[in-house]
Amino acid sequence: MELVRVGQAYFMIRDTLMYDEASNSAFQCRALNINEDLGQIKFVFSDKTGTLTENKMEFQCASIWGVDYSGGKDSSVNEQVGHFVQVDGKILRPKMKVRIDPELLQLSRSGNNTEEAKRVHDFFLALAACNTIVPIAFDDASNPTVKLMDYQGESPDEQALAYAAAAYGFMLIERTSGHIVIDIQGERQRFNVLGLHEFDSDRKRMSVILGCPDKTVKVFVKGADTTMFSVIDRSLNMDIIRATEAHLYNYSSLGLRTLVIGMRELSDSEFEQWHSSFEAASTSLIGRAAMLRKVANTVEKSLRILGASAIEDKLQQGVPEAIESLRTAGIKVWVLTGDKQETAISIGYSSKLLTSKMTQIIINSNSKESSRKSLEDALRMSKKLITVSGTTHNNGGNSGDAVSPVALIIDGTSLVYILDSELEEQLFELASKCSVVLCCRVAPLQKAGIVMLVKNRTSDMTLSIGDGANDVSMIQKADVGVGISGKEGRQAVMASDFAMGQFRFLVPLLLNELIFRYVLFTCFTLTTAINEWSSMLYSIIYTSLPTIVVGILDKDLSRRTLLKYPQLYGAERRQESYNSKLFWLTMIDTLWQSVVIYFIPHLAYWGSTIDAPSIGDLWTLAVVILVNLHLAMDVIRWSWITHVAIWGSIVATFICVIVLDAVPTLVGYWAIFDIAKEGSFWLCLLAIVVAALLPRFVVKVLYQHFSPSDIQITREAEKFGSRREFGAVEIEMNPILEPSRR
Amino acid sequence: MDVDGGSTSSDSTRVRSIPIRSGQCKAFLSQFKQQSLPACKPVLTPAWVIAIHLLLGFVFIPIGLVTLHASRGVLEIVDRYDADCVPEEFKGNKVSYIKDTSVPKNCTRILKVHKYMKAPIYIYYQLDNYYQNHRRYVKSRSDQQLLHGLKYNDTSSCKPEESNNGLPIVPCGLIAWSLFNDTYTFIHGTAELRVNRKNIAWKSDRDHKFGKHVYPFNFQNGTLIGGGKLDPNIPLGDQEDLIVWMRTSALPSFRKIYGRIEEDLEADDVIVVHLMNNYNTYSFGGKKKLVISTSSWLGGRNDFLGVAYIFVGSSAVILSLVFLLLHVKNPR
C-alpha cells in the first residue's frame, strides 16, 4: 500500500499538467496518505487572491476628477510610447509595461496649465509618492544603454500603481528615509517625506505627507473606498464624488480592485500641530500603534478627492475551466475572500464560479436578528428553487448538470453573527443546498471557522487551497490542505482529476490475499504444504509487484475525457466503485476462489502418491496465477509495462518455484519436476484458474450489462469513439448527463 | 474482450514521437512519467463475452472427456486388510494384538484380477486417516543429517527423536521413527511374482538427499518402537522404503509405492498375497489398503478432474446461451 502511495506521489510530482512554468516549480506532495483522499473530496475551500488569481496586479484604468480614463488598448503599448528618463547617459525605463490611455497621457504631459491637468498631476504624484516602494535600477541584460527600474514593495497593488505612475511620466527614482526623488516629465523633483502613515487594516488607507519643492506641505491619502469616502470633504465637489462613486461601482463589477485617492494641502499651523503629535506618537514607548493611528486620523480628514485607480487582479490561467470542472463534478466550491462583495461577485463571474443561470442569495446583515431572518428567508427560497429546478430537470431531461443552481453570497459581518451561534446549523443547511458559496470580507480566523463548520457536520472530505499566511488556519483545519507558495501560485485545483479510481481494486485485492492465506493455513490447519520461502516470496514478488505497478499505472480514462466529463469524478465520491455491496460480493468471490484453489487439488489428489511439497508448489502457482489474472481482469489500460508486470510475475513465480525446488537441502527438492510430469498437475492449474474466475467474470459482465457505471460507459465511448463518428459518441454520452441515475 | 489492433489509447497521439535515436529513451521516460504510454484498453462487448464462454465450453468438455477416459483406463485392485488380518480372538482389542510381539502377524489375502493389466503394474500401500502432513511431524527430520550422517550434529529439529541413551539417532526424527513396515509377497499361480523394489524412490532423493555413506545408527533402539527397523549395513541412499516414506504425503489419505510388477496380468488371474501386518494403525483408527494399479499420463485413477472439467465446460456453454438470450432480448 505504502509503495503504491509513493509511486502515485511520484507521478503527481512529475505530472507536467501540474507544472508551473512561471515559477519553475512542480507539484510537491508532502504527505503520502492523502493521495487517495483526493478522490473523496466534496468540499473545496479556496482563497481568492493568489489562488484563483495570480496576485499579479495590473493597472487598468483610472477615474480622475470625475472623468473616467479607461480607453487604453494593449496595442498602444510599444517601445516608443513607454516613458523613459535619461540618467548619466543611460536610459531609465520601468521594468513593467502598463496599458496607457493616450488621452490621459496627453493630459499628464501637458503640465500644470489647466485645472484638469493639475488634478492629473496630483493624482499621479500621489500614486508615485504614496507608497512604501523601494526603486532599484539595474542594467538591462539585452541592452547596455538601458537601465530597468524595478519597484520592490510589500504589496503588489502598490507596485502596479507605481509602475502606472512611471508610465505616465511620474517615475519614482529614489527613496531614502527623508526624501523621495520623482522624475516628473523629465524634470527631476525632490520631495521631503515629512511623515508616513502606513497602511493598517482598520483604517484601510495610508497617507504620506510631502514637503513639495514649492514649500507647500501636502498630504496624499489612498485607501479603500469605504473608509476613504468617510474622510473626504463632502461639501466640496459633490458631483465629482458621485461620478467617482459610479466609476468605482463599474470598476468593481468588472472585477477590478479599486483604490480611492485624495489629498489636501496642510497649512503651516496644521502641519506644526501634526508634526509635534506625530513626533510624540512615533517616539512613545507604549501604545505607539494606537497613537499613530490617532494622529493619522487627525490629518486624514476633509480631503479633496483626486480620483480612483482600478487594478486588475489577473485570474490564473485555467481557473475558470478548473472551477467549472469542479462544479460539474458536484464538488462544492467555497471561495473565501477578504475582498468587497462586488469585487468578489465579479471575480466569481469571471472565474465562472457564478453563472447567469444561478440564483444568488445574498446575506448582508448587521445584527444577529437580521441575519437570522435573512437566513430563514434564504432557506425557504433555496428550498423552493430546488423543488422547481428538480421538476424542470425531470421534464427537461438533458438540462446540463445535476447541481442546483443556487449561489450563496455572504459577507463577513453577517458571518460574525452567524458563526458561534445556533445559526451555524441553518447556515450549513443552506450552504449544503448551494453549489457555490462566496464569503467576502472574511477574516483569516473566520475562514477556519467556516471550514470547521462544514467539516464537523459532514463525513465528506474537505480540501483547502490557499497561498498566504491568512489561509494557514483554513488549510490546517481541512482534511486536505493545499498550500501554494510564492506569488506565482500553481494550478493545484487541476489536481482534482488525479488519483481517481486507482485504489478501487487494491482493497479487494488485499482482502483476497488475506483470505487466501486464511484458507490455506486454516483449512489445512496443522500443515506446511507451502514452504516458508514460497510464502515469503509470495507476498514480496509473486503478487505485490504487479499490484503496485497496476495500481500506479492504471487509470480509468484518459485525462482528456475526464476533464471533458467531470461528472465522472462523482462516481468516486459516491463510492460507486467501492461500497458495501461490492465489499460483500468481493468477499464471497474471494471465498469461492479460495475454496476452488484449495479443494480442486485436494479432491484431484485424494488418495494419491502426492507429497506435501508438490501440492504446495501447485497451490503457490495457482494462487499467484489467480491473483494476477484477477488483477488483470480489473486492468483497464494494458500498456506494455502492465503486461510485463502481470505475465512477468507469473513467469517469475514459476522460475522461483523451480529454483527453490532445485536446492537439495530444502524439503521440496525436485518436487515441481516430479509433479509437472503428470498431466493432472496442468489440468488442475487450468481448472483452478477458470473455475475460480468464472463466477467473477459472469457477475462483472452482468453488472456491466444491467447497470453500467458512468465510468464504464465513458470508457467504451473513449474506445469506440476513435473509430466511430464523433457525433455518435455524443449520443452515447447523453445518459451520463442525466441527473438521476439509479 | 476486445483486444484487437488499433485499440491503442487515444492519448498516445498526444505524445509526439521523437525520431532521433537518443531521443527515444527520453520520449519513453516522459510517456512513462506522464502516464500516457500507449495502451490497449479491452472492453467487454456482448459478442466477446459469448464467444469467450463458448470457447471455454468447447475446450473444457473435450478435455474433461479425455481426462475421464484416461482415468477410467487406469485399472486398480484395492484391498483393505487392516481389519480382516486381525485374528478372531483380538477383534475386540486390535491394539493389544498389534503390540503383542508374540502373536504372529502374517496374513493371507487373495486378489482377483478383473481385467487385463498391462505392465508396469504398481504396488502401493494406502493409508487413510493418517496425517503425515501434521506440522510438527513434518518438521521432525534433519535433511542435513540424512545427507551427511553423524558428521552433522545439530539435530534439534528432530525432537523428540533426536537421541537415545545419549547417542544420536541416524536417521533421526519422528518421520523416520514411524517408518511403515508391512511387507508383501505375491504368489501368481504356483510361482512367486517377481516384484521390483528398486528405483521406487525419486532418483533426485536417492542421489542428493540421502547420503551414500550414511548408515543407520542407534535407530529404533528406544523403549518406544515406532515402526520399521533399518538394516545398519545398507546406506540411507539405498534404503528406498525409507526414502519413499520420508517424502511426506500432502493429504491424510495417501498411497506410497511399494514396488513394481514387471509382467502383464491376465483377466481372471488370481494373486495370493502373503503379508506381514506389522504397522500399527489401530491405535488411531487408520486404514491400511493394498493397491495394485496401472498408470496413465494423468497419474492415478481419479474421476474428479474429468467430471470437474465437464461441469465447468457445460456451465460455460449454458452461460453463453444465457448471455445470448440476454443480448437478443435486452440489447443495449
Side-chain angles (χ1 to χ4, degrees):
Chain A
M1 250 351 230
E2 285 302 319
L3 283 173
V4 177
R5 282 179 185 153
V6 172
Q8 289 202 328
Y10 175 76
F11 281 112
M12 287 170 84
I13 291 165
R14 302 316 293 243
D15 203 321
T16 48
L17 284 192
M18 290 195 251
Y19 183 79
D20 187 33
E21 282 166 18
S23 60
N24 200 27
S25 53
F27 187 88
Q28 285 184 33
C29 194
R30 295 194 185 275
L32 284 181
N33 55 349
I34 63 162
N35 300 12
E36 66 253 56
D37 291 349
L38 284 179
Q40 306 283 339
I41 286 160
K42 196 166 180 188
F43 289 93
V44 171
F45 299 94
S46 176
D47 177 39
K48 198 208 76 191
T49 311
T51 307
L52 299 185
T53 59
E54 279 184 9
N55 210 5
K56 236 181 218 167
M57 307 295 176
E58 254 176 44
F59 181 82
Q60 282 297 336
C61 44
S63 155
I64 303 170
W65 204 240
V67 183
D68 178 20
Y69 300 98
S70 53
K73 293 279 172 290
D74 284 329
S75 56
S76 69
V77 180
N78 50 41
E79 292 294 320
Q80 284 74 40
V81 176
H83 181 76
F84 55 86
V85 185
Q86 292 267 323
V87 177
D88 306 335
K90 285 193 174 183
I91 295 164
L92 207 58
R93 179 182 287 153
K95 192 177 153 207
M96 299 251 301
K97 295 191 181 68
V98 180
R99 270 174 60 174
I100 287 168
D101 184 291
E103 195 188 341
L104 188 58
L105 187 67
Q106 201 61 45
L107 263 175
S108 67
R109 283 189 175 164
S110 62
N112 281 353
N113 307 330
T114 60
E115 176 76 359
E116 214 177 12
K118 218 169 160 217
R119 299 296 168 210
V120 172
H121 177 269
D122 283 345
F123 180 79
F124 284 114
L125 189 58
L127 291 192
C130 188
N131 53 41
T132 54
I133 295 283
V134 178
I136 292 171
F138 63 92
D139 292 323
D140 189 354
S142 58
N143 189 349
T145 60
V146 174
K147 273 196 156 187
L148 286 183
M149 202 55 142
D150 188 16
Y151 289 142
Q152 299 195 337
E154 49 193 31
S155 131
D157 299 63
E158 285 189 345
Q159 291 175 5
L161 290 177
Y163 280 124
Y168 284 104
F170 293 77
M171 191 189 277
L172 180 65
I173 303 227
E174 192 185 339
R175 173 185 290 276
T176 64
S177 56
H179 69 273
I180 53 175
V181 174
I182 298 176
D183 183 290
I184 299 173
Q185 308 300 358
E187 184 189 340
R188 203 168 274 222
Q189 294 193 13
R190 185 189 159 103
F191 296 86
N192 288 320
V193 181
L194 300 169
L196 189 119
H197 294 287
E198 284 189 14
F199 182 87
D200 70 52
S201 48
D202 283 345
R203 276 160 52 234
K204 290 208 166 87
R205 59 179 178 251
M206 72 170 289
S207 57
V208 63
I209 291 146
L210 290 183
C212 297
D214 54 357
K215 299 296 176 202
T216 56
V217 176
K218 285 177 184 167
V219 56
F220 292 96
V221 187
K222 82 168 196 278
D225 47 3
T226 46
T227 57
M228 282 300 286
F229 280 117
S230 61
V231 296
I232 279 173
D233 187 354
R234 287 192 169 261
S235 58
L236 292 165
N237 313 103
M238 202 53 206
D239 47 337
I240 290 173
I241 293 174
R242 287 226 186 83
T244 311
E245 274 178 333
H247 291 151
L248 281 174
Y249 183 77
N250 283 342
Y251 294 160
S252 59
S253 59
L254 286 171
L256 302 175
R257 293 160 77 96
T258 56
L259 285 172
V260 176
I261 288 141
M263 67 154 291
R264 75 171 168 133
E265 286 183 27
L266 288 182
S267 63
D268 286 348
S269 62
E270 270 179 316
F271 174 69
E272 285 304 323
Q273 198 188 341
W274 167 81
H275 190 70
S276 56
S277 54
F278 181 73
E279 286 290 316
S282 52
T283 51
S284 75
L285 292 174
I286 306 150
R288 186 188 301 168
M291 286 175 77
L292 275 175
R293 198 176 303 148
K294 222 167 110 192
V295 174
N297 281 335
T298 60
V299 75
E300 293 165 354
K301 66 180 182 193
S302 52
L303 299 168
R304 248 186 319 151
I305 188 160
L306 278 176
S309 64
I311 300 166
E312 190 188 9
D313 194 359
K314 276 181 89 178
L315 277 181
Q316 293 209 16
Q317 188 195 348
V319 160
E321 292 81 5
I323 293 211
E324 207 179 13
S325 293
L326 285 177
R327 221 187 44 231
T328 34
I331 296 172
K332 309 225 156 141
V333 183
W334 294 48
V335 173
L336 316 173
T337 170
D339 282 352
K340 281 201 306 292
Q341 193 166 311
E342 293 81 26
T343 318
I345 291 174
S346 60
I347 287 280
Y349 275 117
S350 59
S351 63
K352 291 195 180 170
L353 188 65
L354 301 172
T355 61
S356 49
K357 268 193 291 179
M358 287 182 169
T359 317
Q360 293 178 12
I361 299 172
I362 299 176
I363 297 178
N364 251 335
S365 39
N366 293 319
S367 71
K368 198 169 167 177
E369 277 313 302
S370 68
S371 49
R372 181 201 302 278
K373 196 161 164 290
S374 48
L375 262 180
E376 280 163 3
D377 284 349
L379 261 176
R380 260 199 304 283
M381 193 168 142
S382 65
K383 268 180 195 147
K384 207 170 76 192
L385 276 170
I386 282 164
T387 49
V388 168
S389 66
T391 51
T392 52
H393 272 298
N394 292 343
N395 301 337
N398 185 15
S399 62
D401 47 25
V403 183
S404 67
V406 182
L408 174 69
I409 295 148
I410 190 161
D411 75 343
T413 34
S414 319
L415 277 174
V416 171
Y417 299 110
I418 291 167
L419 292 175
D420 303 320
S421 72
E422 71 278 2
L423 291 175
E424 268 191 8
E425 206 63 53
Q426 291 184 6
L427 175 67
F428 176 71
E429 198 185 329
L430 175 62
S432 52
K433 287 193 173 62
C434 303
S435 55
V436 170
V437 179
L438 202 62
C439 303
C440 26
R441 294 262 181 235
V442 286
L445 264 178
Q446 279 180 320
K447 290 184 180 179
I450 293 163
V451 175
M452 286 305 285
L453 173 88
V454 174
K455 200 182 158 191
N456 288 345
R457 282 172 179 75
T458 58
S459 55
D460 294 310
M461 286 285 179
T462 53
L463 179 141
S464 291
I465 303 173
D467 67 328
N470 57 342
D471 309 313
V472 168
S473 54
M474 166 172 112
I475 288 171
Q476 282 172 342
K477 286 288 190 298
D479 295 305
V480 179
V482 177
I484 292 173
S485 57
K487 186 176 159 189
E488 289 90 6
R490 292 183 221 115
Q491 308 167 15
V493 272
M494 292 294 280
S496 65
D497 69 302
F498 193 79
M500 166 174 178
Q502 294 172 358
F503 277 83
R504 133 192 73 90
F505 48 80
L506 278 186
V507 182
L509 261 180
L510 287 175
L511 269 178
N512 256 19
E513 264 192 56
L514 283 179
I515 292 180
F516 278 144
R517 283 165 162 248
Y518 180 79
V519 169
L520 284 181
F521 289 100
T522 54
C523 257
F524 216 60
T525 348
L526 298 164
T527 69
T528 48
I530 298 175
N531 69 49
E532 299 108 55
W533 285 91
S534 267
S535 55
M536 202 172 76
L537 284 171
Y538 169 71
S539 46
I540 299 173
I541 45 169
Y542 297 170
T543 51
S544 62
L545 206 66
T547 313
I548 289 167
V549 168
V550 172
I552 294 170
L553 281 183
D554 199 31
K555 52 182 180 181
D556 288 358
L557 301 156
S558 76
R559 197 194 305 269
R560 266 195 314 189
T561 320
L562 214 53
L563 283 174
K564 207 156 125 207
Y565 307 107
Q567 293 94 331
L568 298 175
Y569 179 75
E572 174 85 349
R573 223 192 44 248
R574 287 198 300 274
Q575 303 190 323
E576 247 172 39
S577 301
Y578 187 65
N579 52 27
S580 72
K581 198 174 84 185
L582 202 68
F583 172 82
W584 288 111
L585 264 179
T586 309
M587 289 293 275
I588 294 169
D589 175 43
T590 311
L591 208 66
W592 164 253
Q593 293 183 11
S594 314
V595 165
V596 166
I597 283 198
Y598 177 73
F599 279 104
I600 284 186
H602 188 270
L603 293 173
Y605 284 107
W606 186 258
S608 76
T609 54
I610 189 94
D611 62 313
S614 303
I615 211 167
D617 286 344
L618 174 56
W619 271 324
T620 308
L621 290 170
V623 167
V624 172
I625 292 173
L626 199 58
V627 167
N628 280 296
L629 288 183
H630 187 171
L631 182 67
M633 278 174 77
D634 281 333
V635 170
I636 290 146
R637 295 175 80 249
W638 280 95
S639 73
W640 66 263
I641 296 180
T642 323
H643 281 288
V644 167
I646 288 181
W647 311 124
S649 169
I650 294 176
V651 171
T653 310
F654 269 96
I655 292 170
C656 282
V657 165
I658 288 170
V659 167
L660 280 178
D661 279 355
V663 179
T665 46
L666 290 179
V667 184
Y669 181 57
W670 227 248
I672 183 71
F673 304 103
D674 196 68
I675 193 179
K677 277 190 295 201
E678 288 180 8
S680 51
F681 169 77
W682 302 101
L683 288 177
C684 267
L685 221 49
L686 183 60
I688 288 170
V689 168
V690 171
L693 290 178
L694 198 60
R696 185 185 158 77
F697 187 67
V698 168
V699 168
K700 196 175 158 115
V701 168
L702 286 178
Y703 198 74
Q704 286 183 4
H705 186 89
F706 285 112
S707 52
S709 66
D710 301 346
I711 292 173
Q712 168 72 21
I713 293 173
T714 323
R715 209 151 69 208
E716 284 176 26
E718 193 178 81
K719 181 178 174 71
F720 297 112
S722 52
R723 297 182 196 159
R724 293 183 202 162
E725 290 296 306
F726 189 68
V729 181
E730 283 299 306
I731 289 162
E732 203 168 341
M733 284 310 295
N734 280 342
I736 298 166
L737 302 169
E738 294 283 337
S740 55
R741 275 176 205 93
R742 65 185 69 108
Chain B
M1 266 170 278
D2 204 346
V3 285
D4 53 338
S7 56
T8 48
S9 153
S10 55
D11 49 359
S12 65
T13 52
R14 224 173 29 178
V15 182
R16 63 224 170 275
S17 55
I18 301 164
I20 315 160
R21 181 75 178 85
S22 64
Q24 276 175 355
C25 176
K26 219 173 157 189
F28 160 71
L29 269 177
S30 95
Q31 283 182 2
F32 175 71
K33 286 171 182 170
Q34 296 310 313
Q35 304 202 332
S36 53
L37 283 170
C40 159
K41 299 178 186 174
V43 170
L44 286 174
T45 58
W48 275 100
V49 170
I50 294 165
I52 286 169
H53 279 97
L54 274 180
L55 191 74
L56 267 184
F58 288 130
V59 170
F60 268 51
I61 293 176
I63 292 180
L65 290 173
V66 169
T67 310
L68 206 57
H69 179 77
S71 164
R72 290 284 163 87
V74 174
L75 299 170
E76 54 181 38
I77 306 165
V78 181
D79 178 55
R80 181 180 169 187
Y81 63 86
D82 58 303
D84 297 341
C85 280
V86 180
E88 269 320 307
E89 60 268 31
F90 286 105
K91 285 281 188 210
N93 193 352
K94 292 169 184 162
V95 178
S96 69
Y97 152 78
I98 200 82
K99 282 192 170 168
D100 190 344
T101 45
S102 60
V103 181
K105 298 294 189 311
N106 59 336
C107 174
T108 304
R109 309 288 299 170
I110 294 162
L111 307 177
K112 193 157 180 280
V113 180
H114 298 285
K115 271 187 181 171
Y116 168 74
M117 292 170 91
K118 192 178 175 344
I121 300 163
Y122 296 90
I123 303 165
Y124 302 99
Y125 53 90
Q126 178 169 350
L127 296 174
D128 288 345
N129 195 26
Y130 190 110
Y131 286 81
Q132 216 193 4
N133 53 17
H134 190 286
R135 181 181 289 273
R136 286 177 60 193
Y137 179 86
V138 163
K139 290 198 165 155
S140 182
R141 64 187 286 163
S142 167
D143 287 310
Q144 294 287 343
Q145 194 210 44
L146 292 175
L147 192 57
H148 304 295
L150 286 168
K151 280 178 278 179
Y152 189 81
N153 304 324
D154 181 20
T155 54
S156 55
S157 64
C158 285
K159 274 176 185 164
E161 287 294 324
E162 83 276 25
S163 64
N164 183 37
N165 296 329
L167 291 169
I169 300 171
V170 180
C172 69
L174 278 175
I175 307 177
W177 173 79
S178 59
L179 176 64
F180 187 78
N181 59 349
D182 286 6
T183 56
Y184 314 92
T185 42
F186 297 84
I187 313 291
H188 183 218
T190 52
E192 186 177 332
L193 200 60
R194 222 166 56 77
V195 175
N196 184 356
R197 308 254 286 124
K198 286 280 161 208
N199 298 335
I200 52 173
W202 295 3
K203 192 175 184 315
S204 56
D205 279 358
R206 278 182 277 141
D207 293 348
H208 302 292
K209 266 190 106 65
F210 291 81
K212 287 279 177 219
H213 306 288
V214 179
Y215 294 92
F217 177 78
N218 196 21
F219 186 67
Q220 227 60 289
N221 277 347
T223 46
L224 205 60
I225 307 291
K229 305 197 175 188
L230 293 173
D231 186 342
N233 298 319
I234 301 174
L236 292 185
D238 293 335
Q239 307 257 15
E240 297 211 27
D241 284 327
L242 177 76
I243 297 171
V244 168
W245 182 253
M246 294 285 281
R247 232 179 219 270
T248 53
S249 70
L251 302 167
S253 168
F254 62 91
R255 288 173 185 181
K256 288 201 178 289
I257 192 162
Y258 180 80
R260 265 194 309 274
I261 301 171
E262 282 166 341
E263 56 189 87
D264 298 354
L265 294 177
E266 300 298 328
D268 297 327
D269 276 359
V270 171
I271 296 167
V272 180
V273 185
H274 295 294
L275 58 87
M276 295 299 289
N277 185 15
N278 297 320
Y279 200 69
N280 180 3
T281 55
Y282 303 103
S283 53
F284 54 85
K287 295 175 201 160
K288 291 194 281 193
K289 289 172 185 166
L290 176 64
V291 180
I292 296 170
S293 167
T294 58
S295 110
S296 74
W297 59 269
L298 187 67
R301 183 189 174 102
N302 193 322
D303 292 350
F304 170 77
L305 268 179
V307 174
Y309 265 85
I310 291 169
F311 175 76
V312 171
S314 27
S315 15
V317 171
I318 291 166
L319 278 170
S320 75
L321 292 178
V322 169
F323 283 130
L324 191 65
L325 275 177
L326 269 179
H327 185 55
V328 169
K329 273 185 78 178
N330 188 12
R332 255 205 285 165

